[in-house]
Amino acid sequence: MHILVCGGAGYVGSHVAYVLAERGHEVTVLDNLSTGHRQAVRWGRLIEADLLKPETLEAGFDCPVDAVMHFCARSLVGESVNQPYDYYDNNVVGSLNLLRAMRRHGVERLVFSSTAAVFGQPIRTPIDEDHPRTPINPYGASKLMVERILADAAHAHGLRSVSLRYFNAAGAAADAGIGESHTPETHLIPNVLLSAIGEGPPLKIFGSDYPTLDGTCIRDYVHVLDLADAHIRALEFMSSHTGAHAFNLGNGIGFTVLQVIEAAGRIVGQPLQFDRAARRQGDPAVLVAASQKARDTLGWIPSHTRLDDIVRSALAWHRNKRY
Ligand code: UFG
């Protein structure tokens, strides 16, 4: 199939483009390079376009597209609280522009990059798809709005879609020359590793008084290549299923911030230094996915489930970063 990967120069999008190409699909990447990296576009051509400039999207459809995968978004929770208009513009209006372009060109399949942030402060854990969706920040709200639009589009226009709600994407395909690179970097595993190899600021733990075994937040880290595999399964799923569907993607195992730092210390070969800081606003204490639906329906079985393997793959990237 020919897949238009919108946001394919970013972290998850570039890994999905890589796996699509490995499995024989043709890839076109569409990206405005605002946070993505030209060097991450190694599978298929790059079209520089912006979802907020609808006329620029036409180039993405200049040859027949079988499905779109949509990763274009602003994705920093804290920033979304301070810049809500930008988040709703980019994530909601941008998505609407893309959906309209798809409709103009008769493209009826979409895999949408969603997030655990649609659930807000969890009332039970692990979080399955039936958990109430009550986002607590504009980022999560913007993603949930798009999920809702996709349900309406299924009804009105027969659009087939799968929303994949990632928990904590982590790791890299360092052998393929791609990995995680954000400026500024806010995510835990890159921050731990960058500080460990002397390329980042001193590490801070945000909050040590959460109701968890060691007082630090628990997250469900899922390897980006396992996420990529789920996207390809979602594509196959849409061949035989109409409607709008959503799946939670995580390993179902939570690790505290301290456990991540310990794992990184084991891999680097020495205990890591850190400071303790105040809680970061808006961080839920525990976010762990129930991914049984993805396993049962998509046949998704994550294969890089050991925290040490996830951290090791991220370290391989950070030691030999290309962008
Ligand atoms: N953390 C630190 N120090 C750091 C960075 C993070 O202690 O330098 C802590 C955070 O406070 C949090 C945990 O490590 O407790 C994980 O933080 P990340 O920033 O790596 O990831 P989040 O869980 O905040 O974010 C993820 C996704 C978002 C999504 C969010 C849902 O990256 O896209 O889950 O809440 F919105």
Side-chain angles (χ1 to χ4, degrees), residues 121 168 188 205-221 253-261 276-288 307:
Q121 199 71 39
N168 285 63
L188 179 65
I205 294 182
F206 300 130
S208 300
D209 57 351
Y210 286 98
T212 61
L213 60 136
D214 59 24
T216 64
C217 286
I218 293 178
R219 292 289 181 273
D220 182 343
Y221 296 92
I253 310 164
F255 293 97
T256 67
V257 172
L258 276 171
Q259 286 171 331
V260 171
I261 296 172
R276 289 181 189 268
R279 287 184 178 198
R280 195 172 66 177
Q281 211 189 344
D283 276 344
V286 181
L287 280 176
V288 176
L307 178 64

Short mmCIF file of all heavy atoms in Angstrom, two decimals, residues 121 168 188 205-221 253-261 276-288 307:
data_model
loop_
_atom_site.label_atom_id
_atom_site.label_comp_id
_atom_site.label_asym_id
_atom_site.label_seq_id
_atom_site.Cartn_x
_atom_site.Cartn_y
_atom_site.Cartn_z
N GLN A 121 -6.97 12.15 34.97
CA GLN A 121 -6.55 11.53 36.24
C GLN A 121 -7.27 10.19 36.37
O GLN A 121 -8.49 10.16 36.50
CB GLN A 121 -6.96 12.48 37.38
CG GLN A 121 -6.24 12.27 38.68
CD GLN A 121 -4.79 12.72 38.62
OE1 GLN A 121 -4.47 13.73 38.01
NE2 GLN A 121 -3.92 11.96 39.25
N ASN A 168 3.61 5.45 27.53
CA ASN A 168 4.87 6.21 27.40
C ASN A 168 5.77 5.61 26.32
O ASN A 168 6.46 4.61 26.57
CB ASN A 168 5.57 6.27 28.75
CG ASN A 168 4.88 7.26 29.67
OD1 ASN A 168 3.72 7.07 30.02
ND2 ASN A 168 5.56 8.33 30.04
N LEU A 188 11.30 11.43 30.43
CA LEU A 188 12.17 10.88 31.45
C LEU A 188 13.37 10.11 30.89
O LEU A 188 14.52 10.42 31.26
CB LEU A 188 11.36 9.96 32.39
CG LEU A 188 12.20 9.31 33.50
CD1 LEU A 188 12.75 10.36 34.45
CD2 LEU A 188 11.39 8.26 34.25
N ILE A 205 14.18 14.54 39.65
CA ILE A 205 12.97 13.72 39.81
C ILE A 205 11.85 14.65 40.26
O ILE A 205 11.97 15.32 41.28
CB ILE A 205 13.18 12.62 40.88
CG1 ILE A 205 14.22 11.62 40.40
CG2 ILE A 205 11.87 11.93 41.20
CD1 ILE A 205 14.44 10.48 41.38
N PHE A 206 10.77 14.66 39.48
CA PHE A 206 9.65 15.54 39.81
C PHE A 206 8.66 14.83 40.74
O PHE A 206 7.80 14.10 40.29
CB PHE A 206 8.94 16.00 38.54
CG PHE A 206 9.83 16.76 37.59
CD1 PHE A 206 9.90 16.43 36.25
CD2 PHE A 206 10.60 17.82 38.06
CE1 PHE A 206 10.72 17.13 35.38
CE2 PHE A 206 11.43 18.53 37.19
CZ PHE A 206 11.49 18.18 35.85
N GLY A 207 8.81 15.07 42.02
CA GLY A 207 7.86 14.53 42.99
C GLY A 207 8.33 13.22 43.60
O GLY A 207 8.65 12.27 42.88
N SER A 208 8.42 13.22 44.94
CA SER A 208 8.83 11.99 45.65
C SER A 208 7.80 11.64 46.72
O SER A 208 8.06 10.82 47.59
CB SER A 208 10.18 12.20 46.32
OG SER A 208 11.17 12.51 45.36
N ASP A 209 6.61 12.27 46.62
CA ASP A 209 5.59 12.04 47.65
C ASP A 209 4.29 11.50 47.06
O ASP A 209 3.21 11.75 47.57
CB ASP A 209 5.33 13.35 48.41
CG ASP A 209 4.91 14.49 47.48
OD1 ASP A 209 4.99 14.31 46.24
OD2 ASP A 209 4.48 15.54 47.99
N TYR A 210 4.41 10.80 45.95
CA TYR A 210 3.21 10.17 45.36
C TYR A 210 2.90 8.88 46.11
O TYR A 210 3.80 8.25 46.69
CB TYR A 210 3.46 9.84 43.89
CG TYR A 210 3.45 11.05 42.99
CD1 TYR A 210 4.65 11.66 42.60
CD2 TYR A 210 2.26 11.59 42.53
CE1 TYR A 210 4.64 12.77 41.76
CE2 TYR A 210 2.25 12.71 41.71
CZ TYR A 210 3.44 13.29 41.33
OH TYR A 210 3.44 14.40 40.51
N PRO A 211 1.64 8.46 46.10
CA PRO A 211 1.27 7.22 46.79
C PRO A 211 1.68 5.98 45.99
O PRO A 211 0.85 5.22 45.51
CB PRO A 211 -0.26 7.34 46.91
CG PRO A 211 -0.66 8.21 45.77
CD PRO A 211 0.47 9.15 45.52
N THR A 212 2.98 5.80 45.82
CA THR A 212 3.53 4.64 45.09
C THR A 212 4.60 4.00 45.96
O THR A 212 4.93 4.53 47.02
CB THR A 212 4.17 5.08 43.76
OG1 THR A 212 5.25 5.99 44.06
CG2 THR A 212 3.18 5.79 42.85
N LEU A 213 5.17 2.89 45.53
CA LEU A 213 6.07 2.14 46.41
C LEU A 213 7.29 2.94 46.85
O LEU A 213 7.77 2.77 47.96
CB LEU A 213 6.50 0.81 45.78
CG LEU A 213 7.24 0.83 44.47
CD1 LEU A 213 8.41 -0.15 44.51
CD2 LEU A 213 6.32 0.48 43.33
N ASP A 214 7.79 3.83 45.97
CA ASP A 214 8.95 4.64 46.39
C ASP A 214 8.67 6.14 46.33
O ASP A 214 9.58 6.95 46.42
CB ASP A 214 10.20 4.28 45.56
CG ASP A 214 9.99 4.50 44.06
OD1 ASP A 214 9.14 5.33 43.69
OD2 ASP A 214 10.70 3.86 43.27
N GLY A 215 7.41 6.50 46.14
CA GLY A 215 7.03 7.91 46.16
C GLY A 215 7.14 8.62 44.81
O GLY A 215 6.74 9.77 44.69
N THR A 216 7.67 7.90 43.78
CA THR A 216 7.78 8.55 42.46
C THR A 216 6.73 7.97 41.51
O THR A 216 6.19 6.88 41.75
CB THR A 216 9.20 8.37 41.87
OG1 THR A 216 9.47 6.98 41.63
CG2 THR A 216 10.25 8.92 42.83
N CYS A 217 6.45 8.71 40.43
CA CYS A 217 5.34 8.33 39.52
C CYS A 217 5.62 7.03 38.79
O CYS A 217 6.76 6.73 38.42
CB CYS A 217 5.15 9.42 38.47
SG CYS A 217 4.38 10.89 39.10
N ILE A 218 4.54 6.32 38.54
CA ILE A 218 4.62 5.06 37.80
C ILE A 218 4.09 5.27 36.38
O ILE A 218 3.03 5.87 36.19
CB ILE A 218 3.79 3.97 38.52
CG1 ILE A 218 4.46 3.65 39.86
CG2 ILE A 218 3.61 2.73 37.65
CD1 ILE A 218 3.70 2.63 40.70
N ARG A 219 4.86 4.76 35.40
CA ARG A 219 4.45 4.86 34.00
C ARG A 219 4.65 3.52 33.31
O ARG A 219 5.46 2.69 33.74
CB ARG A 219 5.29 5.92 33.26
CG ARG A 219 5.03 7.34 33.72
CD ARG A 219 3.66 7.82 33.28
NE ARG A 219 3.39 9.19 33.68
CZ ARG A 219 2.87 9.57 34.86
NH1 ARG A 219 2.58 8.67 35.78
NH2 ARG A 219 2.64 10.83 35.11
N ASP A 220 3.96 3.37 32.20
CA ASP A 220 4.00 2.15 31.40
C ASP A 220 4.79 2.48 30.12
O ASP A 220 4.27 3.11 29.20
CB ASP A 220 2.54 1.76 31.09
CG ASP A 220 2.41 0.48 30.30
OD1 ASP A 220 3.41 0.03 29.70
OD2 ASP A 220 1.29 -0.06 30.27
N TYR A 221 6.06 2.07 30.10
CA TYR A 221 6.94 2.41 28.96
C TYR A 221 6.79 1.35 27.88
O TYR A 221 6.91 0.15 28.16
CB TYR A 221 8.40 2.52 29.45
CG TYR A 221 8.53 3.66 30.44
CD1 TYR A 221 8.39 3.44 31.81
CD2 TYR A 221 8.71 4.97 29.99
CE1 TYR A 221 8.45 4.49 32.72
CE2 TYR A 221 8.77 6.02 30.89
CZ TYR A 221 8.64 5.78 32.25
OH TYR A 221 8.68 6.82 33.13
N ILE A 253 2.76 -2.99 32.43
CA ILE A 253 3.63 -3.06 33.60
C ILE A 253 4.11 -1.64 33.89
O ILE A 253 4.60 -0.96 32.98
CB ILE A 253 4.87 -3.94 33.34
CG1 ILE A 253 4.46 -5.28 32.75
CG2 ILE A 253 5.67 -4.16 34.64
CD1 ILE A 253 5.61 -6.03 32.12
N GLY A 254 3.97 -1.23 35.15
CA GLY A 254 4.39 0.11 35.51
C GLY A 254 5.74 0.12 36.20
O GLY A 254 6.07 -0.81 36.96
N PHE A 255 6.53 1.14 35.93
CA PHE A 255 7.81 1.33 36.62
C PHE A 255 7.84 2.73 37.20
O PHE A 255 7.38 3.69 36.57
CB PHE A 255 8.99 1.16 35.64
CG PHE A 255 9.12 -0.25 35.13
CD1 PHE A 255 8.59 -0.61 33.91
CD2 PHE A 255 9.75 -1.23 35.90
CE1 PHE A 255 8.68 -1.91 33.44
CE2 PHE A 255 9.86 -2.54 35.44
CZ PHE A 255 9.33 -2.88 34.22
N THR A 256 8.43 2.83 38.39
CA THR A 256 8.56 4.16 39.00
C THR A 256 9.73 4.90 38.33
O THR A 256 10.59 4.28 37.68
CB THR A 256 8.86 4.06 40.51
OG1 THR A 256 10.16 3.48 40.68
CG2 THR A 256 7.82 3.22 41.24
N VAL A 257 9.76 6.20 38.56
CA VAL A 257 10.87 7.01 38.04
C VAL A 257 12.18 6.47 38.58
O VAL A 257 13.17 6.32 37.84
CB VAL A 257 10.68 8.49 38.42
CG1 VAL A 257 11.91 9.32 38.06
CG2 VAL A 257 9.43 9.07 37.73
N LEU A 258 12.21 6.11 39.87
CA LEU A 258 13.46 5.59 40.45
C LEU A 258 13.88 4.27 39.81
O LEU A 258 15.06 4.02 39.60
CB LEU A 258 13.30 5.42 41.97
CG LEU A 258 13.53 6.69 42.79
CD1 LEU A 258 13.13 6.46 44.25
CD2 LEU A 258 15.00 7.12 42.70
N GLN A 259 12.90 3.43 39.50
CA GLN A 259 13.24 2.16 38.84
C GLN A 259 13.83 2.39 37.45
O GLN A 259 14.73 1.67 37.02
CB GLN A 259 11.99 1.27 38.74
CG GLN A 259 11.60 0.68 40.09
CD GLN A 259 10.25 -0.03 40.06
OE1 GLN A 259 9.37 0.32 39.28
NE2 GLN A 259 10.08 -1.01 40.94
N VAL A 260 13.34 3.42 36.76
CA VAL A 260 13.91 3.74 35.45
C VAL A 260 15.36 4.22 35.62
O VAL A 260 16.26 3.81 34.87
CB VAL A 260 13.06 4.82 34.73
CG1 VAL A 260 13.76 5.33 33.48
CG2 VAL A 260 11.68 4.27 34.40
N ILE A 261 15.57 5.05 36.64
CA ILE A 261 16.94 5.56 36.86
C ILE A 261 17.88 4.40 37.26
O ILE A 261 19.03 4.34 36.80
CB ILE A 261 16.91 6.65 37.96
CG1 ILE A 261 16.09 7.86 37.46
CG2 ILE A 261 18.33 7.07 38.36
CD1 ILE A 261 15.82 8.93 38.52
N ARG A 276 16.15 15.79 43.78
CA ARG A 276 14.70 15.66 43.93
C ARG A 276 14.08 17.05 43.84
O ARG A 276 14.58 17.99 44.45
CB ARG A 276 14.36 14.99 45.27
CG ARG A 276 14.74 13.52 45.27
CD ARG A 276 14.37 12.87 46.59
NE ARG A 276 14.90 11.52 46.68
CZ ARG A 276 14.24 10.42 46.30
NH1 ARG A 276 13.02 10.51 45.81
NH2 ARG A 276 14.80 9.23 46.42
N ALA A 277 13.03 17.16 43.06
CA ALA A 277 12.38 18.46 42.87
C ALA A 277 10.88 18.30 43.18
O ALA A 277 10.41 17.20 43.44
CB ALA A 277 12.58 18.93 41.44
N ALA A 278 10.18 19.43 43.10
CA ALA A 278 8.74 19.41 43.38
C ALA A 278 8.01 18.63 42.30
O ALA A 278 8.56 18.39 41.21
CB ALA A 278 8.22 20.85 43.41
N ARG A 279 6.78 18.27 42.59
CA ARG A 279 5.94 17.61 41.58
C ARG A 279 5.81 18.49 40.34
O ARG A 279 5.79 19.71 40.46
CB ARG A 279 4.53 17.39 42.13
CG ARG A 279 4.43 16.31 43.18
CD ARG A 279 2.96 16.15 43.55
NE ARG A 279 2.78 15.08 44.54
CZ ARG A 279 1.62 14.48 44.79
NH1 ARG A 279 0.53 14.88 44.16
NH2 ARG A 279 1.53 13.52 45.69
N ARG A 280 5.71 17.86 39.18
CA ARG A 280 5.42 18.61 37.96
C ARG A 280 3.91 18.68 37.83
O ARG A 280 3.22 17.65 37.98
CB ARG A 280 6.02 17.84 36.77
CG ARG A 280 6.13 18.61 35.50
CD ARG A 280 6.92 17.85 34.45
NE ARG A 280 6.24 16.63 34.00
CZ ARG A 280 6.70 15.83 33.05
NH1 ARG A 280 7.85 16.10 32.46
NH2 ARG A 280 6.04 14.75 32.69
N GLN A 281 3.41 19.86 37.53
CA GLN A 281 1.97 20.06 37.50
C GLN A 281 1.30 19.12 36.49
O GLN A 281 1.78 18.95 35.38
CB GLN A 281 1.69 21.51 37.09
CG GLN A 281 0.43 22.07 37.69
CD GLN A 281 0.10 23.41 37.08
OE1 GLN A 281 0.93 24.05 36.45
NE2 GLN A 281 -1.12 23.84 37.28
N GLY A 282 0.21 18.51 36.91
CA GLY A 282 -0.59 17.70 35.98
C GLY A 282 -0.14 16.26 35.80
O GLY A 282 -0.71 15.54 34.99
N ASP A 283 0.87 15.81 36.55
CA ASP A 283 1.33 14.42 36.42
C ASP A 283 0.45 13.49 37.26
O ASP A 283 0.45 13.58 38.49
CB ASP A 283 2.77 14.28 36.95
CG ASP A 283 3.83 14.63 35.92
OD1 ASP A 283 3.49 14.71 34.72
OD2 ASP A 283 4.99 14.83 36.32
N PRO A 284 -0.28 12.56 36.63
CA PRO A 284 -0.98 11.55 37.44
C PRO A 284 0.04 10.63 38.11
O PRO A 284 1.13 10.42 37.58
CB PRO A 284 -1.80 10.77 36.42
CG PRO A 284 -1.77 11.58 35.16
CD PRO A 284 -0.52 12.40 35.21
N ALA A 285 -0.30 10.09 39.30
CA ALA A 285 0.65 9.24 40.03
C ALA A 285 0.95 7.96 39.26
O ALA A 285 2.10 7.53 39.18
CB ALA A 285 0.07 8.89 41.41
N VAL A 286 -0.09 7.36 38.70
CA VAL A 286 0.08 6.05 38.04
C VAL A 286 -0.64 6.06 36.70
O VAL A 286 -1.81 6.44 36.63
CB VAL A 286 -0.52 4.92 38.91
CG1 VAL A 286 -0.32 3.56 38.24
CG2 VAL A 286 0.07 4.92 40.31
N LEU A 287 0.06 5.66 35.63
CA LEU A 287 -0.57 5.47 34.31
C LEU A 287 -0.11 4.14 33.76
O LEU A 287 1.06 4.01 33.35
CB LEU A 287 -0.16 6.58 33.35
CG LEU A 287 -0.83 7.94 33.42
CD1 LEU A 287 -0.19 8.90 32.42
CD2 LEU A 287 -2.33 7.83 33.16
N VAL A 288 -0.98 3.16 33.79
CA VAL A 288 -0.64 1.84 33.26
C VAL A 288 -1.79 1.39 32.35
O VAL A 288 -2.96 1.54 32.72
CB VAL A 288 -0.40 0.81 34.39
CG1 VAL A 288 -0.14 -0.58 33.82
CG2 VAL A 288 0.79 1.25 35.26
N LEU A 307 12.16 -3.51 30.59
CA LEU A 307 12.58 -2.11 30.74
C LEU A 307 14.04 -1.94 30.35
O LEU A 307 14.41 -0.98 29.67
CB LEU A 307 12.34 -1.65 32.19
CG LEU A 307 12.77 -0.22 32.48
CD1 LEU A 307 11.97 0.79 31.67
CD2 LEU A 307 12.65 0.09 33.98
#
